[in-house]
Amino acid sequence: MPASPLTRLTRLALALALATSGAVAPAAPAAAPAGAAPASWLDTTTGQRIVRVDDSPGVYALYFNYNPFTPQGDLMIYLTPEGIRVADTKTWQTRLVLKAGVDRLLFAGPKSRSAYYTTRATNVDDGGPSTVWAVDLDSGKTRRIAELPGGRVMAINADETLLAGVWETSPPPPEIARQGRRDPVTGSPAYAGVDKDGKPLSFAAAKGQWMAARLAARVPMEMYSVTIATGERKTIHRATDWLNHLKFSPTDPALLMFCHEGPWHEVDRIWTIRTDGSQLTKIHTRTMAGEIAGHEFWGRDGQTVWYDLQTPRGGVTWLTGRNLVTGEQWRYEVARDQASYHFMQSPDGQMFSGDGGNAGKWISLLKPVLRERPVPGLITPGKLESIRVADLSRHDYTLEPNQHFTPDGKWLVYRSNLEGRPVIYAVELPPR
């Protein structure tokens, strides 16, 4: 199997660890010796048990809507510079499954005890040709799935027969491509620009400027599927919209959600499509100037799409759900200190989690409460009640926590740099 560079996100995590190595860490036990039970303690603010799962330099846990768990819920996959590791979700002890240069760890299989990942030649930029693999998490045996001409795989369907991804079939203009490319050492993109007076922009403002330019460039893109059994690739959809954030329904193996990327207030972001290219459907239509919707994810029922809605941006924030079968809609108002980079639904569908933000640095459970009796054809309003489980007061949100419920609903796994370096943690949830 060919070696390839570390995923850009792993590089970024390592860079963040180096950049923050002088930070003051909160009181917590020292790292556990190899083979020992991981360190754990009680959060002094919430009283909940915290486990430090792995603090290896460059450790990387999956994005919030990529599944890291085996179908049985006993193992969680994650990535280190050494290769792919698993953590036992009962004991949180870890072991190396695959020692290899991994370009990108993708997700765990929904049916098999496998982790999917890609490798890329060392001289190939991110987004270039790659190979998709799967590794059996018990035996360590690998199998080649497919060779891809470019882009990246983002999703796997419910019956583990298809992968889905996107790629740019024509390159963006050189300056846009240059700024979007990540530094191979630091993992950071090269966003830079000036305002109307010629003054340098902040990183955030330059990123916004770049995203607007990337959207306006109308770069040709293709959404594709890959048959896992044969490696056959088929086109699902072509567009000059910026296609991103693919996610299969957890129950319908032929239903795919995706987004039109770009500045959120300028795009109709959330869409679904069938894998044969039919039924292209917009899920949310903006009705207010400056309105934004995004960070969409599937509900556990596989029929409801949930997303962060702001009316307008910076105004009232809602956790919004839309059932694609019944047409029912819910909007739960998000208080300022509940605002989160990402929300997620619990395995039983009764609660949500939030990973917080600068206005409220917490890993939280969020209980939805209706304000009105549901009326057919109308949006049902509600609010969220917070149960704070992990204190992130020392966390720097340049690193997204990307929290995940374990399949048994007993833990939330997240990453944080609150100890001065990126670390994967698990917090035990209170009984309900």
Side-chain angles (χ1 to χ4, degrees), residues 60-63 66-70 74-80 83-89 92 95 97 105-109 113-117 135-137 404 413 424:
Y60 171 67
L62 290 179
Y63 188 53
Y66 287 10
N67 172 46
F69 301 106
T70 53
D74 61 324
L75 298 178
M76 180 188 76
I77 63 171
Y78 66 98
L79 188 63
T80 70
I84 298 172
R85 297 188 71 89
V86 293
D88 184 309
T89 57
W92 295 113
R95 61 179 172 85
V97 169
L105 178 62
L106 299 173
F107 29 67
R113 294 175 63 81
S114 301
Y116 289 79
Y117 63 101
V135 57
D136 183 278
L137 298 177
H404 295 267
V413 182
I424 299 175

Side-chain angles (χ1 to χ4, degrees), residues 305-329:
V305 174
W306 292 94
Y307 52 98
D308 184 327
L309 175 66
Q310 294 182 27
T311 53
R313 53 180 171 161
V316 180
T317 299
W318 310 88
L319 177 57
T320 299
R322 179 187 295 264
N323 188 298
L324 306 186
V325 176
T326 66
E328 294 174 277
Q329 296 185 60

Side-chain angles (χ1 to χ4, degrees), residues 296-423:
E296 57 281 349
F297 61 96
W298 284 105
R300 300 294 180 172
D301 60 4
Q303 299 179 351
T304 305
V305 174
W306 292 94
Y307 52 98
D308 184 327
L309 175 66
Q310 294 182 27
T311 53
R313 53 180 171 161
V316 180
T317 299
W318 310 88
L319 177 57
T320 299
R322 179 187 295 264
N323 188 298
L324 306 186
V325 176
T326 66
E328 294 174 277
Q329 296 185 60
W330 304 266
R331 287 190 185 178
Y332 297 108
E333 187 171 356
V334 179
R336 185 172 181 271
D337 65 355
Q338 295 172 329
S340 295
Y341 276 67
H342 302 112
F343 297 98
M344 206 62 192
Q345 193 174 41
S346 62
D348 63 6
Q350 301 301 305
M351 302 283 282
F352 294 93
S353 63
D355 58 4
N358 288 325
K361 295 186 172 186
W362 304 93
I363 298 292
S364 299
L365 285 174
L366 301 167
K367 180 182 178 181
V369 178
L370 297 183
R371 293 184 184 271
E372 298 287 343
R373 178 179 56 84
V375 176
L378 299 180
I379 296 169
T380 302
K383 63 178 182 178
L384 298 170
E385 295 181 348
S386 296
I387 304 170
R388 293 169 172 172
V389 294
D391 182 355
L392 295 189
S393 57
R394 296 177 183 268
H395 180 76
D396 177 357
Y397 277 90
T398 56
L399 181 72
E400 296 177 349
N402 287 330
Q403 82 282 9
H404 295 267
F405 283 97
T406 55
D408 61 10
K410 295 181 178 180
W411 298 81
L412 275 169
V413 182
Y414 61 99
R415 58 183 185 164
S416 177
N417 51 27
L418 60 84
E419 292 189 75
R421 63 199 187 280
V423 177

Side-chain angles (χ1 to χ4, degrees), residues 9 54 59-60 67 77 106 112 141 144 161 204 264 272 349 378:
L9 291 174
D54 199 317
V59 68
Y60 171 67
N67 172 46
I77 63 171
L106 299 173
S112 71
K141 183 179 180 180
R144 185 194 302 259
T161 58
W264 287 10
T272 58
L378 299 180

Side-chain angles (χ1 to χ4, degrees), residues 117-203:
Y117 63 101
T118 58
T119 60
R120 197 184 306 274
T122 56
N123 61 345
V124 174
D125 284 338
D126 186 26
S130 64
T131 304
V132 185
W133 301 81
V135 57
D136 183 278
L137 298 177
D138 297 316
S139 70
K141 183 179 180 180
T142 63
R143 69 184 192 277
R144 185 194 302 259
I145 304 297
E147 300 290 336
L148 299 180
R152 62 189 180 99
V153 169
M154 296 182 180
I156 187 167
N157 70 345
D159 61 7
E160 204 168 334
T161 58
L162 292 178
L163 306 174
V166 297
W167 70 301
E168 296 166 338
T169 56
S170 295
E175 180 61 16
I176 293 175
R178 184 191 67 78
Q179 289 198 51
R181 192 174 299 122
R182 297 193 177 245
D183 184 278
V185 176
T186 67
S188 299
Y191 302 134
V194 297
D195 63 17
K196 61 182 180 180
D197 298 321
K199 296 179 180 179
L201 294 172
S202 67
F203 181 85

